[in-house]
Amino acid sequence: MQSRVLDLPFDPGALRGLSEKLVRSHHENNYAGAVKRLNAIRGVLANASFASTPGFELNGFKREELIAANSMVLHELYFACLGGDGHSMAPAMALALRANFGNVERWREQFVALGKALSGGSGWVVLAFQPRDGTLVNQWAADHAHALAGAVPLLALDMYEHSYHLDFGAAAGAYVEAFMDNIDWAQVYSRYQLAVHGASEPLGAAQDEVGDALLLDTRRAEIFEQAQTRLPGARWLDPAAVDHWAAELPATRSVIVYCVYGHEVGRATALRLRAAGLNARFLRGGIDGWQAAGRPLEPKGGAL
């Protein structure tokens, strides 16, 4: 099946610090060129006799296919994450960055520094979700062929010269700052939600499965502070600090974590705990679903 060139998902004349000429050139020449190249390579491979083609030719075609395919995917992600104000993000997205990098500013510092480190060369900086352990990582890539195995890319910064030279010349650092100022965090968060839900879906626990599991309330600190109730016997632990308290939990007990609705906060925390060797699951529906089912709650009191 032929891949098609996707339209820009935003008005290219409305970005701050990135000209319409630069954005359109990037989209029409570099991204569209990768799509066309990929289609051409796959057309050749579809008619090739793999058994009789020399190995060096197969290696070359498959390498070029990988480069073109990754270029297409990363460029689509790059454009999909532009068009925002660069700062506004859902509280759960900010929590995820805090849980993995210490705080949002620390994440930004790392991401920007990696981009500037690639200036004068080529490559990508990618914020990626790792389903294996429920974590986020800033991935460095020297070219289109570098990818973190099993990871789901959420945000991509193109550091090839074609992405900035028309506007910035050799001042790649100024381009990185302009990119950061145009990130659409709603799009990044949407991808994060999908990635977390996909990785964690088999780990859901029904309300009747709570039993004698160690029950952890992992609602965001701001939400927990305002709450009046919790599930009976639950202990609140800050999901932003999961790396600090995970090792203190008993490895011999099953763990069920819950957040407000059973979305990405509880799910990601369960993934992190499983990566630490614990038998952790998340409560489907969270405390909201528990209460809607008429199940008992107790006064919150202090954290246990």
Side-chain angles (χ1 to χ4, degrees):
M1 184 173 66
Q2 293 280 294
S3 296
R4 67 182 184 88
V5 176
L6 302 182
D7 294 333
L8 285 168
F10 55 84
D11 177 0
L15 300 184
R16 294 173 302 282
L18 299 173
S19 72
E20 181 173 354
K21 181 179 180 181
L22 171 66
V23 174
R24 288 197 180 279
S25 174
H26 193 176
H27 180 267
E28 295 170 5
N29 295 307
N30 304 104
Y31 161 58
V35 176
K36 294 173 184 176
R37 188 166 66 253
L38 176 62
N39 287 334
I41 293 168
R42 287 179 172 170
V44 172
L45 290 173
N47 298 305
S49 171
F50 277 61
S52 60
T53 301
F56 70 88
E57 288 188 17
L58 286 179
N59 285 341
F61 274 120
K62 293 302 288 185
R63 180 180 184 277
E64 291 303 314
E65 181 189 30
L66 174 64
I67 291 172
N70 278 356
S71 179
M72 176 183 71
V73 171
L74 289 172
H75 274 104
E76 288 175 353
L77 179 59
Y78 172 86
F79 292 119
C81 292
L82 289 175
D85 65 10
H87 304 286
S88 301
M89 66 177 68
M93 187 72 244
L95 170 67
L97 294 176
R98 292 202 308 270
N100 288 274
F101 298 95
N103 53 56
V104 175
E105 292 71 26
R106 177 64 174 166
W107 166 79
R108 189 185 192 282
E109 177 187 347
Q110 288 188 19
F111 195 87
V112 167
L114 285 172
K116 292 180 178 180
L118 282 166
S119 63
S122 59
W124 296 84
V125 185
V126 180
L127 172 64
F129 173 72
Q130 301 181 101
R132 178 186 178 277
D133 52 12
T135 57
L136 294 172
V137 63
N138 285 326
Q139 182 213 328
W140 170 94
D143 58 33
H144 305 303
H146 286 170
L148 181 60
V152 181
L154 307 177
L155 172 68
L157 167 61
D158 189 346
M159 286 308 301
Y160 279 79
E161 191 177 66
H162 62 241
S163 65
Y164 60 85
H165 189 266
L166 280 176
D167 281 0
F168 300 95
Y175 154 72
V176 174
E177 296 293 345
F179 171 87
M180 301 300 290
D181 195 38
N182 286 281
I183 294 174
D184 185 347
W185 279 104
Q187 294 297 323
V188 181
Y189 178 50
S190 178
R191 285 177 170 78
Y192 175 67
Q193 284 184 302
L194 289 173
V196 172
H197 279 242
S200 63
E201 188 57 27
L203 307 179
Q207 295 171 356
D208 290 335
E209 296 181 277
V210 171
D212 61 352
L214 179 61
L215 195 56
L216 300 181
D217 185 326
T218 58
R219 288 175 286 179
R220 291 186 292 111
E222 304 93 309
I223 299 298
F224 182 77
E225 289 173 3
Q226 298 173 15
Q228 300 300 314
T229 57
R230 64 184 174 194
L231 269 63
R235 175 186 181 187
W236 180 78
L237 290 171
D238 187 353
V242 60
D243 281 348
H244 299 289
W245 51 258
E248 301 173 3
L249 300 178
T252 55
R253 289 189 65 182
S254 61
V255 177
I256 293 180
V257 302
Y258 70 88
C259 56
V260 179
Y261 301 114
H263 292 167
E264 61 277 8
V265 176
R267 289 169 179 257
T269 303
L271 288 169
R272 298 284 290 269
L273 294 177
R274 292 182 74 86
L278 297 165
N279 179 21
R281 303 171 72 190
F282 71 93
L283 180 64
R284 294 193 183 278
I287 191 172
D288 184 73
W290 182 274
Q291 185 173 18
R295 292 180 176 264
L297 296 169
E298 67 180 18
K300 181 184 70 176
L304 297 179

